[in-house]
Each structure stands twice: as C-alpha cells, then as structure tokens.
Amino acid sequence: MRPMDSPRLGVPHWGCRTLLSAITTAALIALPSCGGDSGTGPTQTPPDRVSVVISPSSLSILVGETAGVSATVLNGSSAVTWRSSNTDIVEVFSDGRVLGMGPGSATVTATSVQDPNASSSVPVTVTPPLTEVSVVPSNQTMSVGETYTFSASVTGPQDTRVTWTTSASSVATVDGSGFVRAVGPGTASIRATSVADPGASAAATVTVTGPPTSVTIVVTNQLLNPINVEVNGIVRGSVDGGDTRQTTVPYSTSLAVSWTLIRSTTSQGTPVGDDIGGDFSVVTNPGSRLSYTVDAVIGDTHIFRPQIVNQTAVALLMGVNEGLQAQNRCNCVVSAFSSGTEIGYYLLYSNSNVRAYRQSNGYAGGYLYWDDFANSVNSVTGSIRLTATQAPSAAGAARIGPLGLASVPDPVESGTGPPRGSNSDDVFRVR
C-alpha cells in the first residue's frame, strides 16, 4: 500500500527548512547593534588634556643680556613655574625673563601649576658679549718730537684693558698707556687691541710732519715766590708766583729747561731762605710746545715756606732747621704783633724745625720752636703758617707744635728724607 502524500503548499517539502533559516537570519540582522538599546545611556567624550605652549621655540642671548619667554596654558589655569637646567648659564625669573649668566646652552622649562605633568621647554644659547674697541681721537697730526696720549674704550667684556701697537715705529712710537711720540715724517697707525678679545681692535691715524722751526716753553709756577726760567743755560724770563708764562725759543734737537727761585729779601735787601732751583729732564727732538709745572716737590726733595704770625709784643729773630746740617739762620725779623711774615723757602725734612729768638738777644738765650709739621706743609705751594702765642723766655726752649705748648728739649740731628712722594720730571739742583 503506498503512503499518503503530504498536503501541497506550493513549495517542495525541503523548502520549509530553508525558509526558516532565512527568516532566522533576517531576524538576527534586524537586532539592534551592541549598546544601542542596552540600557547604558549615551556615549561620554573624555575631557581635553592640559598643555603648555612656550614662545619663542629657541633663544640666543649674550652674557649679561635679558630676554622674555612666554608660556600659554591650554585647557587649564594660566599659572606656571619656571626652571633652568643650568643656572650657571641661564637664570630664569618667575615672570619668564631669562638672564645670560655664562657661555653655553641650557633649557628653560615652564610647567603648569594645575597639572605638573604638562610642561614645555625652550633651548637657550648664551654667547660671550660682543667686544667693541674705540680710540679717541681717530686722527692726529703731530710734528717731529711732539707727544700725545690717545685713549681707548672697550665695551662688552669686564676686562677693558688694551695693548697698544704702532704700524711704523720710525714715524711714531707708542707705549702701554697710549702715549705716542712723533719720531719722523710720515703716517702711522696706532692700534688698541682688546686683551679679553684679541680679535677686537681699533686704530687711529697719526700724521707726522717735519720738526718745527721754534718751540714754545710754557711754565706754570705754583710756588709763592717768582722764579727765573732758563732754556739751554740762557735765562728766558721770569714767572711770578701762582702764574703761567711762556717763551718761544729757536728749535733745537735737545732742550734743557731749568728754574731758579727768586728769594725773598730782608728790609736791608739781604736774600733769605735757601738757594733753590730745579732741572727738568732734557727733551730730545722736542715738539712745537713743551709745558712744565714748578711746585714744592722737586724730584725727591721738598721745600717749605714758613709764614710767622707773632701775637707777642716782642720782635722775633728767626732760624730754620736749627741744629741740622741744613741750618739756616736767615737773620730775618718778625715784628711784634705781625699778622703774617714770610721768611723764605727752605729744604723740608721730616724733622725740620723753626726757631724764634728774641731779636734783642740775637741767636742766644731762650727761644720758641715748632717741629713735627712736615706732613702739614702744603705740597703745592710749600706754605705753612706758624703762630707765636708767647714771647721767648730768657733761657730754655718752649715748644709750640701740634701737641700744644710744652717745655721739652729741642731735637738736634741731621736732616732726614722728605715725607712725600717725588716729581720724577724735576730734579733738585744743589747750589
């Protein structure tokens, strides 16, 4: 017997399994994607991170120079801290300013206060300061024998010393201080070179003409007495105390200038004081003008000029450097109640003294004396003011000095050296 056929559905029997599979697949495709309707809510976007932007991106400065660096904080507070990787090279301040401390390279970093993990850096290169040298004046015309001192200035390094050189020593020579002497006709370059940076220098041009036909001698006399001035042994004129005079002489390849003090005199016309004069160094190949100054320091020798104020009713007979090898009894008299009488110039020693006797007794009997005054003498004019406050006694010595009135022995010894420095251009002449 044959089995009964299944009802016909318009499709083969095997087609039902295939259709079910297709429906199942479509249903799966229609399911929402993961998270769409899972009940967890919408997707969260993470916040932006804090970052620091620094400007400029690199920096070059000189030692001692300052510059500004700025930092911008994104997505956070604007506050930053600053740090240098090497403070011997770059110092950085709280406002971002940087200071070049020494040659080299360092890194400057700005860090966010809000987020210390956020920072930015800038490389900083520090170079030595630029060296510039200038010479003043830049040009100078000189005659053979003339001298001139140039000056140089250096900017940049702390060491501002220079060395001086000449391009033609047969035309002009120069020493370590910029002192130039014209030697022969022509042109020379006088150069100053930085000691700190030998690559930096500057020069002046010196033009030297032939020797002059005459030389002007200028003498300033700072003493209180007049002086006579001699050139090559010939008296050329006198210069009053505190005055400046000049004389013109024919040119010579060698000039010797000297002076002689014109001494004060007593009322009888007798010169008082020591015979004093000085010789200046001989000048070879002089220029057209030479200047000299005469004061109370003559080489290694000093001179002084006492002015006596007599407040007593007794006329005083004066002596200077009494008891010393340079003793000078000038026979000069200071009248009673004199407001100031000068008694000439004398050699000054550290133990110089001045004595006042009664005129009526001559150089005998009691006396007043002043000593220990060498350092109080004016080094320019040589003047010192001494005051007699009491009359000399009939016998004995009364000291009037810086320590006041005392009755002590008067020192008697040979003169000793001068208390002050020397004037090397002037040499004392013993007469």
Side-chain angles (χ1 to χ4, degrees), residues 152-328:
S153 60
V154 179
T155 58
Q158 291 184 343
D159 187 350
T160 58
R161 293 176 301 161
V162 297
T163 58
W164 292 92
T165 56
T166 177
S167 64
S169 58
S170 61
V171 175
T173 60
V174 63
D175 67 8
S177 64
F179 179 79
V180 173
R181 181 178 293 277
V183 178
T187 301
S189 178
I190 305 299
R191 183 170 297 277
T193 302
S194 167
V195 172
D197 183 2
S201 66
T205 299
V206 172
T207 302
V208 180
T209 60
T213 58
S214 62
V215 180
T216 298
I217 310 294
V218 181
V219 178
T220 298
N221 178 18
Q222 295 183 328
L223 299 176
L224 301 177
N225 279 35
I227 60 173
N228 283 327
V229 177
E230 300 176 10
V231 181
N232 287 347
I234 301 174
V235 176
R236 292 290 179 174
S238 62
V239 184
D240 291 338
D243 197 5
T244 298
R245 295 286 178 86
Q246 66 181 42
T247 182
T248 300
V249 300
Y251 180 82
S252 173
T253 57
S254 177
L255 284 180
V257 177
S258 59
W259 62 274
T260 301
L261 184 75
I262 299 176
R263 293 191 288 171
S264 305
T265 59
T266 64
S267 57
Q268 290 77 31
T270 304
V272 297
D274 293 336
D275 196 358
I276 292 171
D279 298 322
F280 290 98
S281 302
V282 176
V283 177
T284 57
N285 298 319
S288 60
R289 185 181 181 90
L290 296 175
S291 297
Y292 299 92
T293 298
V294 175
D295 57 26
V297 181
I298 313 168
D300 292 328
T301 302
H302 295 241
I303 59 176
F304 74 112
R305 180 181 186 260
Q307 184 183 51
I308 309 301
V309 177
N310 185 5
Q311 295 181 350
T312 77
V314 175
L316 302 175
L317 180 64
M318 306 305 300
V320 179
N321 289 327
E322 291 269 298
L324 308 183
Q325 292 177 358
Q327 174 175 295
N328 188 322

Side-chain angles (χ1 to χ4, degrees), residues 90-112:
V90 177
E91 183 74 40
V92 62
F93 303 98
S94 59
D95 59 357
R97 287 180 301 116
V98 295
L99 170 64
M101 302 297 291
S105 298
T107 299
V108 171
T109 301
T111 301
S112 168

Side-chain angles (χ1 to χ4, degrees), residues 323-341:
L324 308 183
Q325 292 177 358
Q327 174 175 295
N328 188 322
R329 289 182 166 177
C330 60
N331 288 307
C332 38
V333 176
V334 178
S335 59
F337 303 113
S338 169
S339 60
T341 301

Side-chain angles (χ1 to χ4, degrees), residues 398-412:
R399 180 175 185 267
I400 301 178
L403 301 179
L405 186 63
S407 178
V408 296
D410 188 359
V412 178

